[in-house]
Amino acid sequence: MKTSKKLLRCTLATIALLTLLSSPFPAGAAEQKGEGKNPVVKENGVEAKNEEWAKYYPREYATWKETSKSDNLVDMLKKKPQLPVLWAGYPFAKDYNAPRGHFYAIQDNVNTLRTGAPVSPITGPLPTACWSCKSPDVPRLTQEIGEKEFFTGKWAKYGSEVVNPIGCGDCHDSKTGELALTRDFLKRGLTASGFDVAKITKNDMRSLVCAQCHSEYYFKKTEETDAQGEKKVTMTVAFPWNNGFKGEDVEAYYDSLNFSDWTHAISKAPMLKAQHPDYELFVGGIHGRRGLACTDCHMPSKKDADGTFTDHRIASPLGNIANTCVTCHDQTEKEFKDYLAIKLQRKDELMDLAMNGLAKAHLEAGKAWEVGATAEEMKDILQDIRHGQWRWDYAIASHGSYFHNPEEVLRLLAQANDKAQQARVKLAEVLAKHGVIGYQVPDFSTKEKSQVLAGINMEKEVAEKQAFKAALLQEWNKEAVAKGRLNMESRKGMSDRTSYAK
Ligand code: HEC
Ligand code: HEC
Ligand code: HEC
Ligand code: HEC
């Protein structure tokens, strides 16, 4: 690549920019009210309503609002019908779409069949922790009521509280305007990984604000009895980073805790679900190792008549190559697109192999139990399935990993394939021992067939969800408006897309 001169220039430009940023925000008139100091959006606590910030920072707000343009909905279960089998017994088997713009975070969380259909504030199925990465109302609440109280109870408890989508108050301090880490669980995770949080630099912050949510996590369960003698369960978001960021490091951490997210409904394997280890995989890739931050590609600088500011339309850089890749590299837009397409295709090829192998292993394990296999015979097999599926999931659950760290993704997928095949060789033996030879697994080539194998009754799930949306959800929104937490205008023009509504 003939990148060196441009890269040097770019590095210098970045350093210059960072120096500028060590004083409060540079840039346009609106940002400079009050003699170079940032305007105070809120004196105490977190301002969760993005429209309130718009009064002081119109350009950042306007570009932030453009995340609403990423509203395409991709039903991943339809695209990859192996998924319901892989996730049988876990809510993801019901409904799972590719990520959309931050503007839709609340709507997608409320709409997904995964969050179920609560009928009151104490009904489940999911814990409050499922709101953690959806809204600046979360840091607002944790400051108001404390983190422990926030993480106690069921998801429906905060239906009328967590109402504004990911925005300013997630990444900025409402009083000083500076970048801020609003989630303490990130600081705890960093500390556990050996990162000295007292030494976080400005450039670190340009990735760490994202790492608050774009990371692998699990729900850490603590049971206790309060002063009134009532039993309480806290489900706190925690990062599994004690051994490091590699797939195997995180796996070893979960194994050491004997942790599993669920027991697989077909194979009975103790499973792990990977979330979205974007940060972990990114820092090990070439751009991460060269000191780039998420912001360099997902929030480039933009110019208007008032000068330069940060483009807050966080989206795929593929739609913005001219202002991202090309500022440091000499290639053309077409070269970059072709280059990324090849990377994606390589990942897809190994990913499909792994998914097919793992889905067959689950179904063959189900058959083995059916014909009388013993727990002793199945033990190693289930461990292979757990580890194989974990490595597949860790590699691909981060949708940008095929670019952020391609070699690592392919390495993990190769491991996932190997584990799946090891399980299947052992399963052929166990099945033969119980009189089954040449077993062919049932067809899982469509979402519908695969969901039947996973034991899901979609009609019931959808009907319950629609009833929830017609009743309790309406009450939540009314209450949020009445209490001044939500401005309905902010949702204007928002389509209500799901992959299940007819
Ligand atoms: C996901 C995190 C994130 C969200 C959400 C976010 N910002 Fe930012 N913002 C950043 C980052 C990162 C920078 C600094 C970029 C840099 O250092 O290169 C920044 C910079 C700024 C600046 C400095 C001036 C500039 O444009 O560079 C202002 C002002 C600002 N943001 C306001 C807002 C407002 C208002 C909102 C809500 C409408 C918002 N931000 C939402 C991450 C965020
Ligand atoms: C408060 C949590 C949170 C923070 C902070 C956050 N994200 Fe996100 N991000 C999400 C969630 C949740 C989604 C999926 C939203 C949906 O699909 O409804 C998402 C979606 C995305 C997408 C997909 C958008 C699209 O158009 O398809 C990108 C890219 C992204 N985030 C990058 C970033 C970057 C870069 C940062 C830091 C500057 C960041 N995010 C900070 C939670 C967060
Ligand atoms: C060198 C540029 C670059 C940097 C730095 C970078 N990304 Fe990306 N990111 C990309 C590209 C390119 C894609 C692939 C986009 C596509 O396939 O549409 C991507 C994809 C993503 C996606 C998936 C978007 C979607 O719609 O599916 C997320 C989320 C994301 N990145 C988050 C991050 C986070 C968080 C960081 C920092 C830890 C980061 N990125 C750093 C270039 C970058
Ligand atoms: C802020 C500067 C910057 C931006 C923006 C940037 N890159 Fe890079 N890129 C680098 C640096 C630095 C390297 C490492 C060069 C080296 O060490 O040889 C690199 C390396 C690469 C490589 C070689 C990777 C390898 O495996 O050896 C590719 C390909 C690449 N970048 C593509 C992209 C694409 C695509 C985008 C836009 C989505 C992008 N870059 C955005 C700075 C940047």
Side-chain angles (χ1 to χ4, degrees), residues 17 46 55-56 66 70 101 121 183 221 229 239 251 265 312 365 376 380 383 406 413 426 450 495:
L17 178 71
V46 174
K55 296 175 187 162
Y56 310 97
E66 286 178 18
S70 292
R183 304 321 198 253
K221 191 170 173 179
F239 289 171
E251 180 187 283
H312 277 64
E376 193 47 40
D380 281 359
Q383 186 77 336
L413 288 175
K426 291 175 196 164
S450 191
S495 61

Side-chain angles (χ1 to χ4, degrees), residues 84-304:
V85 169
L86 296 181
W87 289 329
Y90 200 61
F92 271 81
K94 300 179 201 168
D95 193 10
Y96 170 52
N97 305 314
R100 304 198 290 162
H102 284 167
F103 184 74
Y104 296 101
I106 293 293
Q107 190 192 40
D108 287 338
N109 190 251
V110 164
N111 275 348
T112 181
L113 298 178
R114 300 205 295 280
T115 50
V119 292
S120 80
I122 55 161
T123 46
L126 297 181
T128 55
C130 292
W131 292 113
S132 304
C133 280
K134 312 296 177 221
S135 167
D137 284 305
V138 171
R140 175 182 67 74
L141 269 171
T142 48
Q143 283 196 20
E144 283 169 17
I145 61 178
E147 207 190 15
K148 196 163 154 195
E149 177 61 25
F150 176 77
F151 284 121
T152 306
K154 296 294 183 190
W155 179 75
K157 184 173 163 193
Y158 298 130
S160 72
E161 292 274 5
V162 185
V163 286
N164 295 285
I166 300 164
C168 326
D170 283 308
C171 301
H172 293 281
D173 185 291
S174 301
K175 185 171 175 190
T176 67
E178 299 287 351
L179 287 182
L181 299 182
T182 56
R183 304 321 198 253
D184 284 345
F185 47 76
L186 173 66
K187 293 181 210 157
R188 288 194 291 268
L190 288 171
T191 304
S193 79
F195 192 120
D196 185 351
V197 294
K199 294 193 178 139
I200 292 175
T201 64
K202 280 227 174 309
N203 197 44
D204 292 336
M205 284 300 279
R206 296 166 73 242
S207 285
L208 291 179
V209 285
C210 316
Q212 303 185 94
C213 304
H214 288 271
S215 299
E216 164 65 15
Y217 64 84
Y218 70 108
F219 293 161
K220 190 171 168 183
K221 191 170 173 179
T222 321
E223 290 177 65
E224 58 180 18
T225 311
D226 70 10
Q228 284 73 45
E230 228 179 287
K231 277 205 167 37
K232 284 202 161 161
V233 183
T234 319
M235 295 283 259
T236 312
V237 172
F239 289 171
W241 291 349
N242 300 50
N243 301 334
F245 286 168
K246 270 173 70 176
E248 290 90 333
D249 297 338
V250 177
E251 180 187 283
Y253 177 76
Y254 285 142
D255 284 356
S256 74
L257 296 182
N258 231 338
F259 177 83
S260 60
D261 285 292
W262 90 106
T263 301
H264 198 276
I266 301 167
S267 68
K268 313 277 177 254
M271 301 301 294
L272 295 170
K273 172 78 190 74
Q275 269 70 33
H276 16 67
D278 300 293
Y279 177 69
E280 294 92 327
L281 283 163
F282 171 76
V283 293
I286 184 73
H287 288 104
R289 279 185 280 126
R290 290 289 178 266
L292 266 73
C294 316
T295 316
D296 286 308
C297 296
H298 290 283
M299 300 181 75
S301 291
K302 195 172 176 151
K303 256 196 187 126
D304 70 5

Side-chain angles (χ1 to χ4, degrees), residues 324-390:
T324 55
C325 325
V326 174
T327 56
C328 297
H329 295 285
D330 288 328
Q331 280 76 6
T332 62
E333 206 163 318
K334 178 163 186 326
E335 278 174 292
F336 277 124
K337 285 217 162 122
D338 293 348
Y339 177 82
L340 285 171
I342 292 170
K343 283 201 180 310
L344 184 60
Q345 186 262 325
R346 285 182 183 140
K347 182 214 67 172
D348 278 344
E349 201 175 313
L350 279 191
M351 182 179 78
D352 279 339
L353 282 179
M355 289 167 80
N356 288 333
L358 288 163
K360 285 178 186 165
H362 281 297
L363 292 163
E364 287 161 357
K367 183 72 182 175
W369 288 119
E370 194 188 306
V371 297
T374 66
E376 193 47 40
E377 287 170 331
M378 295 296 282
K379 197 165 161 253
D380 281 359
I381 294 170
L382 300 188
Q383 186 77 336
D384 284 342
I385 294 178
R386 167 181 165 98
H387 288 167
Q389 184 154 328
W390 165 253

